[in-house]
Amino acid sequence: MLIAYRGVMSIPVCVLPQNDPHIDDAVTSADGELVDLDQARVLAWLGGPDGFPELPDAVEWVALPSAGIEGFMRAGVIDDKRIWTNASGFYADNVAEHALALLLAGLRQIHTAARTRWDKKRIDTSVRSLHGSTVMVLGAGGIGKALIPRLSACGATALAVNHSGRHVDGAQETVTWKDLADVWARVDHVVIAAPATEETHHILDADALAALPDHAWIVNIARGTLIDQPALIDALRAGTIAGAALDVTDPEPPADDDPLFSLDNVIVTPHVANPSSTLTENLAPWIAENLRRFAGREQLLSVVEPGSAY
Amino acid sequence: MLIAYRGVMSIPVCVLPQNDPHIDDAVTSADGELVDLDQARVLAWLGGPDGFPELPDAVEWVALPSAGIEGFMRAGVIDDKRIWTNASGFYADNVAEHALALLLAGLRQIHTAARTRWDKKRIDTSVRSLHGSTVMVLGAGGIGKALIPRLSACGATALAVNHSGRHVDGAQETVTWKDLADVWARVDHVVIAAPATEETHHILDADALAALPDHAWIVNIARGTLIDQPALIDALRAGTIAGAALDVTDPEPPADDDPLFSLDNVIVTPHVANPSSTLTENLAPWIAENLRRFAGREQLLSVVEPGSAY
């Protein structure tokens, strides 16, 4: 169903659950045509799993707005009748920047400074430096790859963890998930940047926490379920690690009396590494690029692998 | 006055106001000899201006422990009878890292998160990104030069300010102090990394603050007197800039009821960019290197220019 538009055959695209100026502009800038769902070959879905519509067979491609899509998987909306793309990598710079901000804030005691008034005695002896340290980057997808050069510029060494063990650019060393048990004790800090799958569930557990050095900071900008949170809280209370800086928690949001909110060595940002207020602005150029690829029958970016959870 | 030591002629060095294991090791590792002041050719002074001793004429070189030495200047301890070195550049990585931590913490609203509990509505709309922004690096000495590659790795553009206007590596543009008035409006954020001199006193004043965009964050890791602090507080209250993240204040420490401690858009760390708890550990390799140069009659690092204030 091609619609003639500006002299070229344009792709009919439906944007739901509501139109958005950034995404609408992206569609028309890529010579797409904004249409209702029953006329669409493409659905740009900007919501979560709830309220996801019944899809006409004519929809050939659904663009989902998030990097982590385990919620859509669980809700059973992803079928094998068409192409699905997620937003993995599209927000990588944003999320990697937030991970660096959390790690530096912890090491540099910004959270303690924010909660006290010139408590020099306490802060001066707690500040640590990122330069000279080794940081495990757990998951070396788009976010991990965006983080590693930032860490290197700060004088830190990155140890990457991925499926294949294939060398990740800029990392001093790359290991596989299977090697993890032997590696925790060799790193200073951990940044979790991996998708939530069965394999990664509670990847940071009591054993891992016990193996880490007591000056370790844990940063999580992925999903809360990658950490065994009660074990983390035990370690934070016991001081067997130095602190945790979390943009994601389990559950989310935490209860108002969650210990995460009262521990001195914890920073919790409310899932804002990729702020929803700027989400469609950041997503728009990628939707446009994928739409051009779709029109040209090229390989789309960030296609969801059937049977994989991300 | 050369003392035979391990078969070579060693340099007699006095460490005051008290000995320190890191500095003592550095002296002996560089084949120096630890002696009392009346026997010394070199004084490694680890204190502030107060209590600085009368110097015998035989002291040829005094190593001061701080980057900013305006306090020693004011106290009149620096004479023209010998060489004086400061520690400018020796802590550059440490201080540049703290500057980046402060800037990212402000942009990413870590201070707000540390003071609230999952206030997503407020934080999500306030988070900004460093990548894509232009950061003025005011003062392009050792700290500025260490900061610029960190900013670049984060996807930001650096605009350097120095005396000569001579291009600073990694900066998109370098301007001189005289050009400043025209430049404030063209940058997103400002990091102050210049020495405290007459020229830089209140360099960030009401006019500069008015010219900056309202999303600007100000970071100061240099000296409090470079900012007209009452003007800064007015701008922070009025919202004509977004925030200030300060490791130094004027005076220092601030009074307990200083508005800096009660404004939501301020982060104050208690002068810990180069923590005193690790100062001598970080200084030690530089003392050793300069001692080797002194013994070899080579040019010392970080010599204080006579007549200059830094």
Side-chain angles (χ1 to χ4, degrees), chain B residues 41-103:
Chain B
R41 289 178 63 199
V42 177
L43 170 62
W45 176 254
L46 305 178
D50 291 348
F52 193 87
E54 280 293 316
L55 294 181
D57 285 347
V59 172
E60 297 167 44
W61 160 39
V62 180
L64 296 173
S66 55
I69 57 161
E70 71 283 1
F72 291 97
M73 288 282 179
R74 258 199 316 275
V77 305
I78 298 182
D79 59 30
D80 55 5
K81 295 184 183 170
R82 58 208 106 227
I83 300 169
W84 298 75
T85 54
N86 64 19
S88 176
F90 299 174
Y91 315 118
D93 275 320
N94 228 6
V95 180
E97 178 177 313
H98 200 76
L100 181 64
L102 286 171
L103 180 56

Side-chain angles (χ1 to χ4, degrees), chain A residues 137-173:
Chain A
V137 179
L138 202 54
I143 295 165
K145 285 176 183 147
L147 178 60
I148 288 170
R150 287 168 164 84
L151 293 172
S152 300
C154 288
T157 299
L159 186 149
V161 183
N162 64 13
H163 279 281
S164 60
R166 203 162 39 226
H167 175 68
V168 176
D169 269 0
Q172 170 87 0
E173 184 181 350

Side-chain angles (χ1 to χ4, degrees), chain A residues 94 97 108 117 129-130 256, chain B residues 94 97 108 117 129-130:
Chain A
N94 228 6
E97 179 176 312
R108 289 280 159 178
R117 296 188 172 197
S129 293
L130 178 54
D256 200 51
Chain B
N94 228 6
E97 178 177 313
R108 291 279 159 181
R117 295 188 175 198
S129 291
L130 178 56

Side-chain angles (χ1 to χ4, degrees), chain A residues 94 97-98 108 113-115 117-118 120 124 129-131 150 153-154 252-254 256 268 270-271 273 275-277, chain B residues 94 97-98 108 113-115 117-118 120 124 129-131 150 153-154 252-254 256 261 268 270-271 273 275-277:
Chain A
N94 228 6
E97 179 176 312
H98 200 76
R108 289 280 159 178
R115 293 166 183 155
R117 296 188 172 197
W118 204 272
K120 180 148 181 155
D124 188 277
S129 293
L130 178 54
H131 64 94
R150 287 168 164 84
C154 288
E252 208 168 281
D256 200 51
V268 179
H271 206 139
S276 56
S277 58
Chain B
N94 228 6
E97 178 177 313
H98 200 76
R108 291 279 159 181
R115 293 166 182 156
R117 295 188 175 198
W118 203 272
K120 180 149 184 156
D124 188 278
S129 291
L130 178 56
H131 63 95
R150 287 167 164 85
C154 287
E252 206 165 284
D256 200 50
F261 289 133
V268 179
H271 205 140
S276 57
S277 57

Side-chain angles (χ1 to χ4, degrees), chain B residues 146-187:
Chain B
L147 177 60
I148 288 171
R150 287 167 164 85
L151 293 172
S152 302
C154 287
T157 299
L159 185 150
V161 183
N162 65 14
H163 279 281
S164 61
R166 204 164 36 229
H167 175 69
V168 176
D169 269 0
Q172 170 87 0
E173 184 181 349
T174 306
V175 304
T176 72
W177 295 94
K178 294 191 178 68
D179 305 320
L180 264 180
D182 301 324
V183 179
W184 298 111
R186 290 204 282 123
V187 302

